[in-house]
Amino acid sequence: MNWNRQRPSSMPSHRYRPYFDRVPVAPTERAWPAAHTTVAPLWVPVDLRDGNQALAEPMDPARKRRFFELLIGMGYKEIEVGYPSASQTDFDFVRDLAEHDLVPDDVTIVVFTAARTDLIERTFESVRGLPNVVLHMYTATAPTWRDVVLDRDRDALHGLILDAAQDVARGGDAQPGVRFEFSPEVFNLTEPDYVLQVCDSLTALWDASPDRPVIHNLPATVEVSTPNVYADQIEYMHRNLARRESVILSVHPHNDRGTGVACAELAVLAGAQRVEGCLFGNGERTGNVDLVTLALNLHAQGVDPMIDFSDIDGIKRIVEHCNRIDVHARHPYGGDLVYTAFSGTHQDAIKKGFAHHHAAADAAGVGPAQAPWDVPYLPIDPADVGRDYEAVIRVNSQSGKGGIAYLLHEGYGVDLPRPLQIQFAGRVQRATDASGAEITAQQLWELLFAEYGFGGRLGPWSVEHREGGDHLRIQAEFDGTPISGAAFAGGPVEALTKILADHGRPVEVLTLVQQSVGLGSAGRAATFALCRSGGAEHWGVGFDQSVTASALHAVLAAATRIAAE
């Protein structure tokens, strides 16, 4: 392969086994590659438990309460709120939810516990009085964890799990509103037949039924394989779990390989009905799967995520406050820059895409917010998540004429003629190359007038309309020299060129483009004039409440620039 000149690195990659030597995957007849997601799974945020335990500074009660209220407001109906047997803070928080009636009737609370009698009893104590509860019991089941951490073989560990599950069942008898969840932690590194054996035994012990289903949550606790392998593992369980109609198949991907979102999406295709994760992906190591990205990925495919992200910046502010962790500027959907284009070709495509979108909406007789979305480089309409369009295009040294024109249009309502766009883009490029910084709409406006505006002074002027034309009287300071005069012509601009010729500064107006900007008393006129004299050409720009004054400014500006060359 002469085209690939990479060389071996100094990293000790030989120390690690490939996933196919570590991950036992039972053969299954794959259906997931041809499946399509048409309805959102049940989302279960674990920010208050799994996410919280990963924080350098765990949330205090006020932050936990604020986060919980956010999740309720967004529409989550099943929320894992803590590990009450492991933390007095978590225990007290769950008790507050119960004693102050803070949980809506249609919301289920999930509490987490290890498979140990005293911890299970403490967990049941924490949820006393709550009507809708899932008690979530976990035990690590993978060979390395069994051998190194728990020092139990398969049978011994299965016995421990069954004993704990009987404690759970007894607690459930005393609190009939409690349902049960089991996580074979590190499922993705556990033998498939063993996970199936353990899960089926708990389904039977807890006497699962369609009216009171058990949740089997299958975590990719530490990502070690490509997402398709996880999908195969989930599909195997989906096809082989006993009493399948009485089991909610749940997944809990982590993000060690950076593919947590892909794992969750493929797992849903493979039969998963429930997904545990965190807003913006907080969690141990590289985090839990990101529920924001997952939900808005569905939204971008025309599937209602069943969760409200219409104020994503408000959501982000609360999450950042509670976690004390900033959301990255490039984070999908929620980052500050994810709807922003700096590249010139991207900006030009977006600008044209917006114009096409509005034209298509008008043709269909609907508002732009209801029209089908198909704008280049923007997978969803930023307005869907509460963003405006001000930050969609920003200009730096990588930008082009399309972005510059877009910012001037959005900020000041002007549409530069295309030849002027091209010329001005070069001036902006020099400015941004020199500064190395982004340039704002206001700075572009100022640069436009520094380059093409009339730097002199337009004194008293008047236009008298006569039959066959206009009589212009004008006084101005032109290139530091006062000029004054009067002329009669077909219009004020033509009359101005006569006055300039009388002062030895002949100019020919090649192009004159005028636009109205704003309405009523706030309205202004913008004029763009391309003028030629002695073989030299230059643009001038004028901006004034008066249409005539705007045109005079533009021609004087162009003539001044030509004279200076």
Side-chain angles (χ1 to χ4, degrees), residues 360-386:
D362 287 343
V366 299
Q370 285 74 47
W373 183 256
D374 192 17
V375 174
Y377 297 110
L378 292 173
I380 68 169
D381 185 346
D384 289 352
V385 291

mmCIF file of all heavy atoms in Angstrom, residues 360-386:
data_model
loop_
_atom_site.group_PDB
_atom_site.id
_atom_site.type_symbol
_atom_site.label_atom_id
_atom_site.label_comp_id
_atom_site.label_asym_id
_atom_site.label_seq_id
_atom_site.Cartn_x
_atom_site.Cartn_y
_atom_site.Cartn_z
ATOM 1 N N ALA A 360 -40.297 28.285 -0.413
ATOM 2 C CA ALA A 360 -41.112 27.066 -0.424
ATOM 3 C C ALA A 360 -42.281 27.184 0.558
ATOM 4 O O ALA A 360 -43.395 26.724 0.279
ATOM 5 C CB ALA A 360 -40.250 25.856 -0.087
ATOM 6 N N ALA A 361 -42.029 27.801 1.715
ATOM 7 C CA ALA A 361 -43.102 27.993 2.696
ATOM 8 C C ALA A 361 -44.187 28.912 2.123
ATOM 9 O O ALA A 361 -45.382 28.641 2.259
ATOM 10 C CB ALA A 361 -42.535 28.568 3.987
ATOM 11 N N ASP A 362 -43.761 29.990 1.468
ATOM 12 C CA ASP A 362 -44.736 30.901 0.862
ATOM 13 C C ASP A 362 -45.562 30.184 -0.201
ATOM 14 O O ASP A 362 -46.791 30.351 -0.285
ATOM 15 C CB ASP A 362 -44.012 32.095 0.233
ATOM 16 C CG ASP A 362 -43.467 33.063 1.279
ATOM 17 O OD1 ASP A 362 -43.918 32.983 2.446
ATOM 18 O OD2 ASP A 362 -42.592 33.872 0.946
ATOM 19 N N ALA A 363 -44.885 29.375 -1.010
ATOM 20 C CA ALA A 363 -45.592 28.666 -2.080
ATOM 21 C C ALA A 363 -46.602 27.676 -1.517
ATOM 22 O O ALA A 363 -47.650 27.435 -2.117
ATOM 23 C CB ALA A 363 -44.585 27.944 -2.978
ATOM 24 N N ALA A 364 -46.279 27.090 -0.358
ATOM 25 C CA ALA A 364 -47.180 26.108 0.261
ATOM 26 C C ALA A 364 -48.258 26.768 1.115
ATOM 27 O O ALA A 364 -49.157 26.088 1.615
ATOM 28 C CB ALA A 364 -46.376 25.122 1.102
ATOM 29 N N GLY A 365 -48.147 28.067 1.315
ATOM 30 C CA GLY A 365 -49.128 28.776 2.120
ATOM 31 C C GLY A 365 -49.023 28.507 3.600
ATOM 32 O O GLY A 365 -50.023 28.584 4.315
ATOM 33 N N VAL A 366 -47.813 28.197 4.087
ATOM 34 C CA VAL A 366 -47.607 27.952 5.511
ATOM 35 C C VAL A 366 -46.462 28.832 5.999
ATOM 36 O O VAL A 366 -45.680 29.364 5.203
ATOM 37 C CB VAL A 366 -47.284 26.465 5.795
ATOM 38 C CG1 VAL A 366 -48.434 25.572 5.367
ATOM 39 C CG2 VAL A 366 -45.991 26.032 5.103
ATOM 40 N N GLY A 367 -46.361 28.969 7.316
ATOM 41 C CA GLY A 367 -45.266 29.721 7.885
ATOM 42 C C GLY A 367 -43.966 28.939 7.809
ATOM 43 O O GLY A 367 -43.979 27.708 7.746
ATOM 44 N N PRO A 368 -42.827 29.629 7.834
ATOM 45 C CA PRO A 368 -41.532 28.926 7.776
ATOM 46 C C PRO A 368 -41.358 27.892 8.883
ATOM 47 O O PRO A 368 -40.697 26.873 8.684
ATOM 48 C CB PRO A 368 -40.516 30.063 7.915
ATOM 49 C CG PRO A 368 -41.234 31.279 7.416
ATOM 50 C CD PRO A 368 -42.667 31.088 7.826
ATOM 51 N N ALA A 369 -41.969 28.128 10.058
ATOM 52 C CA ALA A 369 -41.824 27.182 11.176
ATOM 53 C C ALA A 369 -42.606 25.892 10.955
ATOM 54 O O ALA A 369 -42.360 24.896 11.637
ATOM 55 C CB ALA A 369 -42.279 27.840 12.478
ATOM 56 N N GLN A 370 -43.550 25.885 9.997
ATOM 57 C CA GLN A 370 -44.335 24.669 9.716
ATOM 58 C C GLN A 370 -43.874 23.965 8.440
ATOM 59 O O GLN A 370 -44.234 22.815 8.202
ATOM 60 C CB GLN A 370 -45.827 25.021 9.569
ATOM 61 C CG GLN A 370 -46.540 25.319 10.874
ATOM 62 C CD GLN A 370 -46.166 26.659 11.451
ATOM 63 O OE1 GLN A 370 -46.160 27.654 10.728
ATOM 64 N NE2 GLN A 370 -45.848 26.706 12.738
ATOM 65 N N ALA A 371 -43.082 24.626 7.634
ATOM 66 C CA ALA A 371 -42.673 24.058 6.348
ATOM 67 C C ALA A 371 -41.622 22.967 6.550
ATOM 68 O O ALA A 371 -40.811 23.035 7.489
ATOM 69 C CB ALA A 371 -42.110 25.148 5.447
ATOM 70 N N PRO A 372 -41.621 21.939 5.715
ATOM 71 C CA PRO A 372 -40.579 20.900 5.788
ATOM 72 C C PRO A 372 -39.187 21.531 5.743
ATOM 73 O O PRO A 372 -38.953 22.482 4.996
ATOM 74 C CB PRO A 372 -40.851 20.036 4.552
ATOM 75 C CG PRO A 372 -42.299 20.232 4.266
ATOM 76 C CD PRO A 372 -42.604 21.655 4.642
ATOM 77 N N TRP A 373 -38.298 20.986 6.532
ATOM 78 C CA TRP A 373 -36.959 21.574 6.701
ATOM 79 C C TRP A 373 -35.959 20.853 5.805
ATOM 80 O O TRP A 373 -35.819 19.640 5.856
ATOM 81 C CB TRP A 373 -36.527 21.459 8.160
ATOM 82 C CG TRP A 373 -35.200 22.095 8.455
ATOM 83 C CD1 TRP A 373 -34.010 21.467 8.661
ATOM 84 C CD2 TRP A 373 -34.945 23.488 8.590
ATOM 85 N NE1 TRP A 373 -33.022 22.390 8.915
ATOM 86 C CE2 TRP A 373 -33.574 23.643 8.877
ATOM 87 C CE3 TRP A 373 -35.748 24.631 8.494
ATOM 88 C CZ2 TRP A 373 -32.981 24.887 9.071
ATOM 89 C CZ3 TRP A 373 -35.149 25.871 8.679
ATOM 90 C CH2 TRP A 373 -33.789 25.990 8.967
ATOM 91 N N ASP A 374 -35.235 21.620 5.001
ATOM 92 C CA ASP A 374 -34.196 21.032 4.148
ATOM 93 C C ASP A 374 -33.183 22.112 3.805
ATOM 94 O O ASP A 374 -33.043 22.519 2.660
ATOM 95 C CB ASP A 374 -34.818 20.439 2.881
ATOM 96 C CG ASP A 374 -33.832 19.557 2.103
ATOM 97 O OD1 ASP A 374 -32.813 19.158 2.693
ATOM 98 O OD2 ASP A 374 -34.097 19.302 0.916
ATOM 99 N N VAL A 375 -32.479 22.605 4.833
ATOM 100 C CA VAL A 375 -31.494 23.663 4.665
ATOM 101 C C VAL A 375 -30.101 23.063 4.791
ATOM 102 O O VAL A 375 -29.818 22.351 5.763
ATOM 103 C CB VAL A 375 -31.703 24.784 5.710
ATOM 104 C CG1 VAL A 375 -30.586 25.814 5.630
ATOM 105 C CG2 VAL A 375 -33.056 25.452 5.501
ATOM 106 N N PRO A 376 -29.225 23.299 3.830
ATOM 107 C CA PRO A 376 -27.886 22.704 3.879
ATOM 108 C C PRO A 376 -27.158 22.992 5.190
ATOM 109 O O PRO A 376 -27.230 24.103 5.722
ATOM 110 C CB PRO A 376 -27.166 23.360 2.694
ATOM 111 C CG PRO A 376 -28.249 23.763 1.761
ATOM 112 C CD PRO A 376 -29.410 24.130 2.630
ATOM 113 N N TYR A 377 -26.479 21.982 5.691
ATOM 114 C CA TYR A 377 -25.599 22.068 6.860
ATOM 115 C C TYR A 377 -26.323 22.266 8.185
ATOM 116 O O TYR A 377 -25.671 22.341 9.237
ATOM 117 C CB TYR A 377 -24.541 23.172 6.694
ATOM 118 C CG TYR A 377 -23.603 22.915 5.542
ATOM 119 C CD1 TYR A 377 -23.641 23.687 4.392
ATOM 120 C CD2 TYR A 377 -22.677 21.870 5.594
ATOM 121 C CE1 TYR A 377 -22.792 23.450 3.328
ATOM 122 C CE2 TYR A 377 -21.820 21.616 4.541
ATOM 123 C CZ TYR A 377 -21.878 22.402 3.408
ATOM 124 O OH TYR A 377 -21.039 22.148 2.370
ATOM 125 N N LEU A 378 -27.634 22.336 8.185
ATOM 126 C CA LEU A 378 -28.378 22.469 9.439
ATOM 127 C C LEU A 378 -29.339 21.293 9.551
ATOM 128 O O LEU A 378 -30.404 21.285 8.922
ATOM 129 C CB LEU A 378 -29.160 23.785 9.473
ATOM 130 C CG LEU A 378 -28.324 25.064 9.550
ATOM 131 C CD1 LEU A 378 -29.211 26.296 9.414
ATOM 132 C CD2 LEU A 378 -27.523 25.131 10.841
ATOM 133 N N PRO A 379 -28.997 20.253 10.344
ATOM 134 C CA PRO A 379 -29.839 19.053 10.407
ATOM 135 C C PRO A 379 -31.231 19.310 10.964
ATOM 136 O O PRO A 379 -32.171 18.599 10.630
ATOM 137 C CB PRO A 379 -29.043 18.098 11.301
ATOM 138 C CG PRO A 379 -28.106 18.976 12.069
ATOM 139 C CD PRO A 379 -27.786 20.128 11.169
ATOM 140 N N ILE A 380 -31.358 20.304 11.851
ATOM 141 C CA ILE A 380 -32.685 20.723 12.304
ATOM 142 C C ILE A 380 -32.738 22.243 12.266
ATOM 143 O O ILE A 380 -31.708 22.924 12.209
ATOM 144 C CB ILE A 380 -33.028 20.221 13.727
ATOM 145 C CG1 ILE A 380 -32.138 20.898 14.785
ATOM 146 C CG2 ILE A 380 -32.940 18.705 13.826
ATOM 147 C CD1 ILE A 380 -32.584 20.668 16.210
ATOM 148 N N ASP A 381 -33.954 22.766 12.303
ATOM 149 C CA ASP A 381 -34.150 24.207 12.386
ATOM 150 C C ASP A 381 -33.741 24.656 13.792
ATOM 151 O O ASP A 381 -34.313 24.190 14.789
ATOM 152 C CB ASP A 381 -35.625 24.522 12.134
ATOM 153 C CG ASP A 381 -35.901 26.025 12.090
ATOM 154 O OD1 ASP A 381 -35.038 26.809 12.496
ATOM 155 O OD2 ASP A 381 -37.010 26.383 11.652
ATOM 156 N N PRO A 382 -32.747 25.548 13.934
ATOM 157 C CA PRO A 382 -32.350 26.000 15.274
ATOM 158 C C PRO A 382 -33.526 26.525 16.096
ATOM 159 O O PRO A 382 -33.523 26.436 17.330
ATOM 160 C CB PRO A 382 -31.330 27.101 14.984
ATOM 161 C CG PRO A 382 -30.767 26.755 13.646
ATOM 162 C CD PRO A 382 -31.910 26.149 12.884
ATOM 163 N N ALA A 383 -34.548 27.057 15.425
ATOM 164 C CA ALA A 383 -35.710 27.576 16.157
ATOM 165 C C ALA A 383 -36.455 26.480 16.897
ATOM 166 O O ALA A 383 -37.142 26.752 17.886
ATOM 167 C CB ALA A 383 -36.659 28.289 15.191
ATOM 168 N N ASP A 384 -36.342 25.222 16.450
ATOM 169 C CA ASP A 384 -37.024 24.124 17.137
ATOM 170 C C ASP A 384 -36.559 23.983 18.579
ATOM 171 O O ASP A 384 -37.311 23.505 19.433
ATOM 172 C CB ASP A 384 -36.758 22.795 16.411
ATOM 173 C CG ASP A 384 -37.463 22.701 15.072
ATOM 174 O OD1 ASP A 384 -38.279 23.584 14.768
ATOM 175 O OD2 ASP A 384 -37.186 21.739 14.335
ATOM 176 N N VAL A 385 -35.309 24.352 18.851
ATOM 177 C CA VAL A 385 -34.772 24.226 20.206
ATOM 178 C C VAL A 385 -34.548 25.595 20.840
ATOM 179 O O VAL A 385 -33.764 25.745 21.772
ATOM 180 C CB VAL A 385 -33.466 23.398 20.216
ATOM 181 C CG1 VAL A 385 -33.750 21.943 19.883
ATOM 182 C CG2 VAL A 385 -32.420 23.973 19.253
ATOM 183 N N GLY A 386 -35.264 26.591 20.320
ATOM 184 C CA GLY A 386 -35.251 27.903 20.956
ATOM 185 C C GLY A 386 -34.108 28.804 20.567
ATOM 186 O O GLY A 386 -33.908 29.859 21.183
#
